[in-house]
Amino acid sequence: ASSGIWMRCPSASCKKNGVRFTHSHGSFDADATGDIVARNLRCAEILGIRYMVVHPVFRAPDGRIYADAEEYLDINQKHYTSLLDEARRHNVTLLCENLLWGASIPPKIQSELVSRVDSPRFGWCYDTGHAHRCGLPQTSLLGLAHPPLSLHVQDNHGDHDEHLLPGDGTIDWKAFLDTLHAIDYTGDLVLEAHHQSIDAPDDRRDTILTDLLHRAEKMLAYYRYIHQ
C-alpha cells in the first residue's frame, strides 16, 4: 500500500504536465522473493505503464551461469508464468531482456521463451548495449518468431556495458535502424543512456540530457524517413 501511495503524487504531476510513461524496469530478476515484483507492477499501473522489464534468471542458486538453452528456458518459463496473474491484475505486460551471460544473450532464445510462456502478458525487450557488448550483429533481430516489444537504447565500445549516449560508442546506429525497419518495428525506443548524466557534475547534467534528447530526435527522424 505504501508504494501505491508514494507513486500517486508523481502520477498526478505527470498527468498535469502531459508526461506519459509506457515502459518501466522492475527492481529484480524474475525469481525475486517476497512481493517486490508485485509492488513494481502496482507502481507501473498507477503510472499508466504498459510494459515492465523484469530480468530473466541467468544464474543458478549455486552461482553457476545457465549456459544451456533448455535449462534456461525451463527455469524462466516457470518464473515468468508464476507472475502472469499479477501482471494481468495490473494490466501490465512483462518483458524479459537479453542480458550479458550464458543463455540470456541470444535474441533467438528470448523469442523462444515468449513462445513457451505463450501469454499476451509476456514479451521481450532488446537492449542494444548488451547485444553490442556480446558481439551480436544487428541481423540477430531478423527472422525471429517474436520480435521485441520494446527497446533499451544505449551505446558502448564493445567491451563494457557503459550505457552511453547513442553515438558515443561504436554501435552502427544506421544499421540498427535499418534492421528495425526490416522487422517493421513500431514499439518504444527507451533511452537507457544514464551513466554519463549520473556521473556528471550537477551543472553538466542538463546539457548531457539535452544532447541525449537531440540525438534521439535524429534517430527517430531517420527511422520515420526510411519507414515511409
Side-chain angles (χ1 to χ4, degrees):
S2 61
S3 61
I5 293 170
W6 183 82
M7 289 306 298
R8 292 187 196 284
C9 182
S11 176
S13 178
C14 289
K15 288 178 181 177
K16 179 181 177 181
N17 291 283
V19 176
R20 184 171 65 92
F21 294 102
T22 63
H23 176 115
S24 68
H25 203 311
S27 302
F28 290 92
D29 298 339
D31 63 344
T33 57
D35 70 342
I36 185 66
V37 175
R39 285 191 285 141
N40 288 169
L41 285 165
R42 286 199 296 273
C43 291
E45 180 186 25
I46 291 167
L47 290 172
I49 288 167
R50 59 177 177 172
Y51 294 137
M52 188 178 88
V53 168
V54 177
H55 280 172
V57 183
F58 64 90
R59 191 190 305 272
D62 63 3
R64 175 177 56 87
I65 297 295
Y66 291 124
D68 178 74
E70 284 301 319
E71 184 179 26
Y72 170 88
L73 288 166
D74 181 61
I75 291 290
N76 280 285
Q77 180 183 356
K78 291 174 182 174
H79 281 303
Y80 282 110
T81 299
S82 73
L83 302 175
L84 290 178
D85 284 344
E86 194 72 20
R88 291 188 196 99
R89 190 172 297 120
H90 297 289
N91 197 30
V92 175
T93 297
L94 295 168
L95 305 181
C96 67
E97 176 182 1
N98 59 302
L99 296 179
L100 299 161
W101 307 276
S104 75
I105 295 173
K108 185 175 181 180
I109 293 179
Q110 313 324 312
S111 174
E112 174 61 22
L113 180 57
V114 176
S115 293
R116 297 198 184 191
V117 175
D118 191 24
S119 168
R121 288 295 171 193
F122 183 71
W124 76 287
C125 171
Y126 178 74
D127 188 299
T128 61
H130 293 169
H132 189 55
R133 165 65 181 81
C134 294
L136 299 182
Q138 307 300 346
T139 52
S140 62
L141 284 179
L142 299 177
L144 299 178
H146 299 280
L149 296 180
S150 192
L151 304 172
H152 284 171
V153 177
Q154 52 133 331
D155 210 341
N156 60 56
H157 292 88
D159 50 5
H160 293 92
D161 187 25
E162 298 173 273
H163 289 267
L164 301 177
L165 275 64
D168 282 2
T170 54
I171 290 178
D172 184 339
W173 291 103
K174 182 180 180 299
F176 172 66
L177 292 170
D178 288 344
T179 298
L180 294 187
H181 173 61
I183 65 172
D184 197 28
Y185 181 77
T186 57
D188 297 335
L189 279 77
V190 179
L191 300 169
E192 209 182 35
H194 52 276
H195 283 190
Q196 283 157 296
S197 60
I198 289 174
D199 296 337
D202 289 345
D203 61 357
R204 281 280 300 149
R205 288 193 182 125
D206 284 351
T207 301
I208 292 170
L209 292 173
T210 299
D211 188 16
L212 174 59
L213 176 61
H214 290 162
R215 296 188 197 194
E217 288 172 340
K218 289 180 180 178
M219 291 174 68
L220 283 173
Y222 175 74
Y223 187 66
R224 286 167 179 157
Y225 171 74
I226 63 174
H227 211 62
Q228 293 180 51

